[in-house]
Each structure stands twice: as C-alpha cells, then as structure tokens.
Amino acid sequence: MIPVVGVEDQTIAVLGLGRSGKATAAALAAGGANVIAWDDGNDTREAAAADGLQIVDLTKDANWHGVTTLITSPGIPHLYPKPHPIIAKAYELGIPVDNDIGLFFRSYATAGWDEFDRAPRVIAVTGSNGKSTTTALIHHILQETGRPTQMGGNIGTGVLSLEPAEDGEVVVLELSSYQTDLARALTPDVAVFTNLSPDHLDRHAGLGGYFAAKRRLFAEGGPDRAVIGVDEPEGLYLAGQMSMSPADDRVIRVSSGQKLDRAAWSVFARKGFLSEYRKGRQAASIDLRGITGLPGAHNHQNACAAYAACRAVGLAPRQIEAAFHSFTGLPHRSQTVRELNGVRYVNDSKATNIDAAAKALQAFDRIRWIAGGLGKEGGIAALQPHLDRVTKAYLIGHSARDFALEIGQTAYEVVDTMEAAVARASAEAEPGDTVLLAPAAASFDQYPNFEKRGEHFTALVEGL
C-alpha cells in the first residue's frame, strides 16, 4: 500500500466503494486521515461497514461539516452527462474533488528516495485502443530485463494498492480517460498516447472532451518523455504541442504504417518490421512477423509504443526484442487460444467497438468471424471495407439480425449463441482458417462483461 501524504488529521470523504474506493480509503487512513465513505448501493455499504469503514450518508448536508476533500471512483460521472449529486454538492460547497490517480502521483515519491542509487520512475499509458496490451508489454519487457517493476491503474492492481517504490523501480500504469480527466496531480516520467477513436462520448460530451481528458496526462503532467501515436490528427496535434522544435527528442513519435524518418526520435512499423530512427538515421530494426503474441498492425503499433517507452527508460534494442518473443499477449485481446487441425482460434472479446474490430479483422486471413452482442450506436456498416478476409460470419446476441443487414455480401449465419457459433465455425473451418471472436459489440445482452464472454469462447474452444 502507498499511504497518502498531506492528509493527516483531515476528514476525507470517499464516494464509491468498489475495488479502487476501498483501496483509496485504506491508503488515506494509513496517511492519518479521518475517512468517511458512501456508496449508492446498500449491499456495498453494508459490506464496507463490515470491513470497518465509517459509512456516512453524504446525501445529507449536515454530514459535510469538516470535510476537506471528496475522492471519487473513476466510474462515477463528475461533469457529463451530469455530475453525480454528491459530486455536485462538493462543487457547491467549494470542496475539491480528486481520485486515486491524483492521490498516487502526489504520494508515490518519498524522502526515502534520496538513499536510492536510481530514482524510481512512472510510465503512464493512455489512448483508445491498445493501452492495456501496451501497458502489459512494457511491464513484461521490464520484468524480462531484470528491472524492478509493478503494473497497475486500469489494469492489474489499483494504484494505491501498489507497494512503495524500490531502488530503480519502474511502475507502469494504464490510465483511462475517466482517470486522467479528474486527477489533480499527473506527473509521469514517461507518458504514452497510443491512438484515438470515438469512445465514452456521453461521458465527455463528445470527441473533443474525450481527447481533452487524454491530453491532460501530457499538458498538465509535463513528462520527461512523451511517446505519441501520430496516426490520427489528434496525435499529430499533441506531438506538436509537446515539441519545442523539430529537433526536440523529448517527443518520440510512433506509427503503424507510416515511415517516420524526419523527426528527432521516432519508432514505426511497416510491413512487419519495427524501425527506430534518431536524427534521421536508423538506430534499430526488429522483425515482428513471427511474434505470436503481437499479431496484426494494431499490435505492431502497441509494440512500437512499448519499445519507445522502454528505450526512454534506458533499455537496449536487443533486450526489448528478446522480451517481445516471450510475450504471450493479454486474455481477450487477439489471444491465440489454440490451434487445432490447422485452424487457429483467436479470442478478441475486448474488440467491443468498430475500430478495435476492424484492427482484429485486418490481422488475419481466411477468417470465420464470430460477431454480435449488444450493438452500439451507428451499427457495423463501417466494417464493410474490412470484411474481404472473412469467409463467413457467425452472428450472435441481441444485434445479430441487425448486423446481418450491415455486412454487405459477406456470407453469414445467425446462430444466436456462442455455443452454436463455435460449433458451426469449427465444423466448417478448414486448415489455414482463423476462427476469430471480435464482436464489435458490448457483451451485456448475454454476459456481465467482455471477460466472461471471452472466457466462455475459450472454454468452448478448449473443449473441442
């Protein structure tokens, strides 16, 4: 646990008592704060009270007396579509609102660091797609090269549940827009922006608000190095904002598909090869084509971002390349489950939106595509240009019949359930085919989350 600093004898209110909320309450108490807590769910409140938390009804004005700060969980709206009533009350009373990310960045560094030979560092990763894989890949590379490292944030351990820093340690954090939007302190040593595509637009009042939430990690965080994907206009803009001149190598530009040989420092992937350029000259090259855990152009972009972040903390190209080959990927993200009778089965249950599904479809040939679930606004018609590699689609869930109307001339079968989809796809697949779960839809019609959907697919495939 990382005790929160600067809160001794203060009354701090915590809103939301899920995993991060309970960890935050414990870290605040460890820092000497008087913690009061509230959650909208009665069962959650009762469980927290049983764990010893002081439950105080923050819907009542009288209970705000003496509160100096409100700490809210990331999933609770603080501005759009409208602030949660308790957050709105804090605004009205002039009480600062923060989250666990802000508390982490103001508490991680301690006076004990003066005794270390190498100061610990923080790499923070944000973006729309690929940030979990990029975060996990950076963490894996650091582990493989013997650097002390921890991983947390939106993946793995909550930030305040991490252990205090070791000499030379690198903490790798995945940060969502929900987390970066509100944090009052953001001070990573290396900040990574993977890419941008429309997501969470209601929470941020549109694409501009969504990008602004991501941008805070850079504009307000002031990282020593900024690793920025420049395949979208927003990334190009952000790289320009962070650079003092074309020769400024504090910004490492990253691309999948573009040759970037004019920037002061760049890492890009083309035709399956990663290249690092510095001051117009190639510094390193890695063949990514045979790396099973990083299939497709979208994972090559993740590899470039992870490579750049690891170079920024002093790792050598050959160290990074060796670690790439032992990376197995994350569950539910282009995860090869098994190969059976010459057929590859891939679980990309995390591909819940159009952009992620398009990238998954571009990563494989001769695809038997399992898609569907609870469709999102706009449908999947935009995927038609990416369906040339699909031999047949097997459509499941609430939006299966809607999807059937939007995939053009692609052969399909409405099978409704995952069991039927896996059975039909495996029965019809031929050697060299890939059975790909890339739903392009949310899971909530049939599963509590995308993880459970992917686990069901995996269990069915392993049972073939």
Side-chain angles (χ1 to χ4, degrees):
M1 180 196 301
I2 296 173
V4 178
V5 301
V7 295
E8 190 172 356
D9 298 327
Q10 295 183 29
T11 298
I12 310 289
V14 174
L15 175 62
L17 297 174
R19 183 191 69 165
S20 68
K22 288 190 286 189
T24 298
L28 285 163
N34 170 38
V35 180
I36 62 174
W38 183 253
D39 191 283
D40 291 337
N42 185 62
D43 291 346
T44 304
R45 293 197 301 270
E46 290 180 356
D51 289 338
L53 278 175
Q54 181 183 357
I55 304 301
V56 174
D57 187 352
L58 294 175
T59 65
K60 298 180 178 180
D61 290 358
N63 290 333
W64 285 88
H65 180 72
V67 173
T68 59
T69 308
L70 173 67
I71 308 299
T72 181
S73 294
I76 300 174
H78 62 270
L79 186 57
Y80 301 113
K82 63 180 181 179
H84 185 281
I86 288 172
I87 296 177
K89 175 58 68 176
Y91 293 158
E92 180 184 330
L93 295 173
I95 293 172
V97 180
D98 204 350
N99 62 17
D100 60 337
I101 303 301
L103 297 180
F104 167 84
F105 275 113
R106 84 183 207 195
S107 305
Y108 183 56
T110 67
W113 287 22
D114 293 340
E115 306 301 319
F116 291 162
D117 291 329
R118 288 193 299 178
R121 306 185 77 181
V122 177
I123 299 174
V125 181
T126 195
S128 296
N129 296 305
K131 60 183 180 292
S132 294
T133 296
T134 300
T135 301
L137 181 54
I138 294 168
H139 179 61
H140 172 79
I141 295 166
L142 291 164
Q143 285 182 314
E144 291 294 293
T145 55
R147 289 287 290 271
T149 181
Q150 297 183 77
M151 179 173 69
N154 206 42
I155 183 175
T157 305
V159 290
L160 294 173
S161 295
L162 296 170
E163 294 300 318
E166 294 182 27
D167 193 334
E169 184 171 55
V170 181
V171 168
V172 191
L173 303 179
E174 177 194 341
L175 299 182
S176 72
S177 59
Y178 291 8
Q179 294 169 311
T180 59
D181 197 19
L182 187 62
R184 293 171 66 87
L186 287 168
T187 54
D189 298 283
V190 180
V192 180
F193 175 84
T194 58
N195 51 54
L196 194 82
S197 62
D199 209 357
H200 308 304
L201 300 188
D202 59 334
R203 176 67 182 263
H204 298 292
L207 186 61
Y210 176 53
F211 174 57
K214 303 285 189 186
R215 182 178 176 272
R216 288 191 76 243
L217 183 64
F218 298 82
E220 300 189 28
D224 295 332
R225 297 280 186 190
V227 176
I228 300 175
V230 294
D231 288 335
E232 293 88 28
E234 293 85 358
L236 283 169
Y237 166 82
L238 182 58
Q241 288 278 296
M242 297 300 294
S243 299
M244 295 299 293
S245 74
D248 188 352
D249 67 358
R250 294 175 302 170
V251 176
I252 308 176
R253 289 166 170 80
V254 167
S255 173
S256 175
Q258 299 182 66
K259 185 176 182 180
L260 304 176
D261 56 357
R262 295 183 179 180
W265 196 351
S266 61
V267 181
F268 60 90
R270 293 183 71 206
K271 300 180 180 179
F273 286 85
L274 179 153
S275 296
E276 176 188 0
Y277 271 72
R278 300 194 71 168
K279 297 180 179 178
R281 294 186 177 184
Q282 187 168 9
S285 177
I286 298 174
D287 186 350
L288 301 174
R289 295 173 297 176
I291 300 176
T292 306
L294 295 167
H298 62 304
N299 274 309
H300 291 177
Q301 183 187 53
N302 299 336
C304 289
Y307 176 97
C310 290
R311 291 286 284 134
V313 295
L315 298 187
R318 294 302 162 226
Q319 290 178 299
I320 301 170
E321 180 178 9
F324 277 171
H325 285 277
S326 57
F327 182 66
T328 57
L330 285 178
H332 320 302
R333 298 163 176 86
S334 294
Q335 174 197 12
T336 297
V337 176
R338 71 185 294 194
E339 293 190 16
L340 179 66
N341 299 325
V343 177
R344 185 178 185 180
Y345 293 82
V346 176
N347 167 21
D348 204 336
S349 182
K350 183 63 167 63
T352 59
N353 60 40
I354 294 297
D355 189 62
K359 289 175 178 177
L361 290 167
Q362 293 171 62
F364 306 99
D365 294 312
R366 292 174 51 184
I367 297 168
R368 295 189 177 273
W369 179 35
I370 300 175
L374 188 61
K376 296 188 176 182
E377 185 178 351
I380 63 165
L383 285 176
Q384 285 194 29
H386 307 292
L387 300 182
D388 55 320
R389 301 181 182 186
V390 175
T391 303
K392 184 176 179 180
Y394 305 84
L395 303 175
I396 65 174
H398 176 271
S399 299
R401 287 158 183 80
D402 293 333
F403 280 18
L405 300 175
E406 298 181 57
I407 59 175
Q409 300 302 310
T410 303
Y412 71 89
E413 185 175 345
V414 175
V415 293
D416 291 321
T417 68
M418 188 70 76
E419 290 91 344
V422 172
R424 293 292 295 150
S426 63
E428 296 180 354
E430 300 176 354
D433 286 356
T434 295
V435 176
L436 171 66
L437 171 64
S443 59
F444 306 125
D445 57 332
Q446 294 178 320
Y447 302 92
N449 50 52
F450 75 83
E451 291 96 340
K452 292 298 183 185
R453 177 171 59 190
E455 289 167 7
H456 189 201
F457 171 81
T458 298
L460 291 168
V461 168
E462 290 175 343
L464 290 174

